[in-house]
Amino acid sequence: MKQILLILSLLSLGFCLQNPLFLNETYSTGLVQISNTSDIFYFHFESRANPSQDPLVFWLSGGPGCSSELGLFLENGPFTVNDNQTLSNNPYSWNNQANLVFIDQPVGTGFSNAETEDLVTSETALGQNFYTFIKGFLDQNPQYIGRPLFITGESYAGKYIPAITVELLKRKDRQINLQGVAIGNGQVDPKTMYPAYGEYALKNNLISSFKYRTMVNPTLKECSELIQKNAPLQQISQTCNLGFGYITGFGETPKFNVYDIRKQCLGSLCYNMTNLDNFLAREDVKSALGVSGRNWEECSTRVHKALQNDIFVGYSSYVAQILESGIKVLIYSGDQDFICNYIGGLTWVSEMQWTKQTEFQSAQFEDYIVNGKSAGQIKSAGILQFLRVYQAGHQVPMDQPEVALAILNQFIANTTSKDQTIM
């Protein structure tokens, strides 16, 4: 019996493998127990450069309740899924110079399990669960204890990441060497970002100036005021959704792809993800991932519903706390995204109260150069950077993979240079 327990214990460690199914990329997967009936799944890739020395980067997708495999296979992971269910290599994967981990959280997301009573209903609970996850991950992967750690993500992770980071700051755990956080097209501060929907739509000719003045702007202004007053959730939702709908329409499918205004909306998430759905439903794939018997879904309705009271809560004050603690912060936004657009992002960053607020407000934008070409505009103050990425939607690594890799490498290399070269 003792021998069986020892074998099971060893199997729980994150041993790295290579598998032709995953193009012989060096990887490991694991499940970290959060409670008796819940766990968090992760998919870890060793750095393609120097795994024993390169930093550790966590990636979190948003939702709330959307799996980080969406990021892995569609954005910044080592491969993408082809029509014939094979994989293609991504030369711009974020594990080129970092050890990269995609995490299905909160519990109940993606391949992670959770009973109804386990589902988180606040960012506080989410942060506490994530601390438990990190400790379990380090137990399974002790080579990363004390390694420089960067937490990255997009969309609703704009709330996850500040809450998680503040929890880590409270813990003061010496095993966790957090160096920076990066948020892409993040939903951080709804009261500031909702009015920006109208401004962005007007600027990009999605609505007429008459509609903006008479319908959109007044409604979204009221939405912001209700959020600020902490009005009942139903009242906030009705007003904010009305203002939003004046722009996107009120049908099941919006008039345009809210994640990339240049494209048509196809499917529930505006993109065709059939290849990924089919690939992650295969028994041989699930066996290789160590999740046989589990079913993967793009986004969990249960997880989303459990966090409904968090939808209109702002976390810019958490970001300010992170900056004041000395943890550097990068906020980047693709300029073709509507749902978490760069105008709203720049507004909440500018209005955030912290030591260098005035310095940030007065800072000028400069060109962000990648391989000799302007890929965006960047401004900074101290350890805070805001970057607008040209010709990218909500998923910057999907639309501008070369630029996204340059952004990550600059961030983890602890340099403020605005001229990046991809090797």
Side-chain angles (χ1 to χ4, degrees), residues 379-418:
K379 66 183 295 189
S380 60
I383 54 176
L384 170 67
Q385 292 180 311
F386 179 90
L387 173 59
R388 173 189 174 186
V389 183
Y390 294 151
Q391 298 304 303
H394 193 66
Q395 293 100 334
V396 172
M398 179 174 70
D399 297 330
Q400 295 290 347
E402 182 178 16
V403 174
L405 179 57
I407 292 169
L408 176 75
N409 287 346
Q410 171 257 315
F411 189 61
I412 65 177
N414 199 27
T415 174
T416 57
S417 171
K418 302 169 186 65

Side-chain angles (χ1 to χ4, degrees), residues 24-191:
N24 289 321
E25 197 81 32
T26 305
Y27 79 97
S28 68
T29 64
L31 294 164
V32 173
Q33 205 71 27
I34 304 301
S35 72
N36 290 336
T37 50
S38 68
D39 54 40
I40 290 178
F41 170 80
Y42 68 86
F43 202 157
H44 155 246
F45 299 92
E46 280 195 350
S47 170
R48 292 170 171 174
N50 189 350
S52 65
Q53 297 295 322
D54 285 342
L56 182 65
V57 173
F58 286 163
W59 172 267
L60 310 178
S61 292
C66 291
S67 167
S68 287
E69 275 75 72
L70 294 172
L72 193 167
F73 288 97
L74 301 176
E75 299 186 63
N76 51 6
F79 24 65
T80 56
V81 186
N82 302 315
D83 291 342
N84 65 357
Q85 293 295 292
T86 61
L87 300 180
S88 291
N89 174 68
N90 175 15
Y92 302 111
S93 175
W94 281 16
N95 72 320
N96 275 16
Q97 293 179 245
N99 298 286
L100 181 62
V101 186
F102 294 89
I103 304 164
D104 276 350
Q105 69 84 52
V107 294
T109 300
F111 280 124
S112 300
N113 268 349
E115 297 295 330
T116 301
E117 60 268 22
D118 299 317
L119 299 175
V120 299
T121 57
S122 71
E123 297 295 336
T124 299
L126 183 145
Q128 292 168 347
N129 280 359
F130 201 86
Y131 174 73
T132 301
F133 165 79
I134 294 182
K135 295 297 287 183
F137 175 83
L138 292 176
D139 285 344
Q140 295 179 13
N141 302 271
Q143 69 271 28
Y144 294 123
I145 293 174
R147 189 81 64 92
L149 168 65
F150 297 86
I151 303 178
T152 67
E154 71 188 10
S155 194
Y156 209 83
K159 296 189 177 190
Y160 296 159
I161 293 172
I164 288 166
T165 306
V166 167
E167 179 66 25
L168 297 183
L169 291 174
K170 291 178 184 176
R171 299 283 183 163
K172 298 179 180 179
D173 193 316
R174 293 184 179 182
Q175 290 190 333
I176 303 170
N177 183 15
L178 182 62
Q179 295 290 303
V181 299
I183 298 171
N185 290 82
Q187 177 59 271
V188 179
D189 188 25
K191 85 171 185 305

Side-chain angles (χ1 to χ4, degrees), residues 343-407:
I343 294 176
L346 180 57
T347 302
W348 78 255
V349 173
S350 299
E351 293 184 1
M352 178 176 58
Q353 296 180 3
W354 67 298
T355 305
K356 293 186 180 292
Q357 179 184 15
T358 303
E359 181 180 334
F360 180 83
Q361 291 172 339
S362 60
Q364 299 299 306
F365 275 104
E366 302 177 43
D367 283 338
Y368 188 82
I369 307 297
V370 177
N371 288 341
K373 297 179 181 179
S374 178
Q377 289 184 313
I378 190 168
K379 66 183 295 189
S380 60
I383 54 176
L384 170 67
Q385 292 180 311
F386 179 90
L387 173 59
R388 173 189 174 186
V389 183
Y390 294 151
Q391 298 304 303
H394 193 66
Q395 293 100 334
V396 172
M398 179 174 70
D399 297 330
Q400 295 290 347
E402 182 178 16
V403 174
L405 179 57
I407 292 169

Side-chain angles (χ1 to χ4, degrees), residues 159 187-191 227 310-318:
K159 296 189 177 190
Q187 177 59 271
V188 179
D189 188 25
K191 85 171 185 305
I227 294 173
D310 182 66
I311 300 295
F312 296 105
V313 178
Y315 290 88
S316 59
S317 63
Y318 283 50

Side-chain angles (χ1 to χ4, degrees), residues 250-290:
F250 294 98
E252 287 189 16
T253 304
K255 294 178 180 178
F256 54 89
N257 187 328
V258 295
Y259 304 106
D260 189 332
I261 61 172
R262 301 167 296 181
K263 301 174 182 177
Q264 183 181 357
C265 182
L266 302 170
S268 60
L269 294 179
C270 283
Y271 293 93
N272 184 349
M273 300 183 189
T274 303
N275 287 346
L276 178 57
D277 293 337
N278 292 339
F279 183 77
L280 292 179
R282 284 168 44 180
E283 292 303 323
D284 60 331
V285 172
K286 289 195 286 186
S287 176
L289 295 178

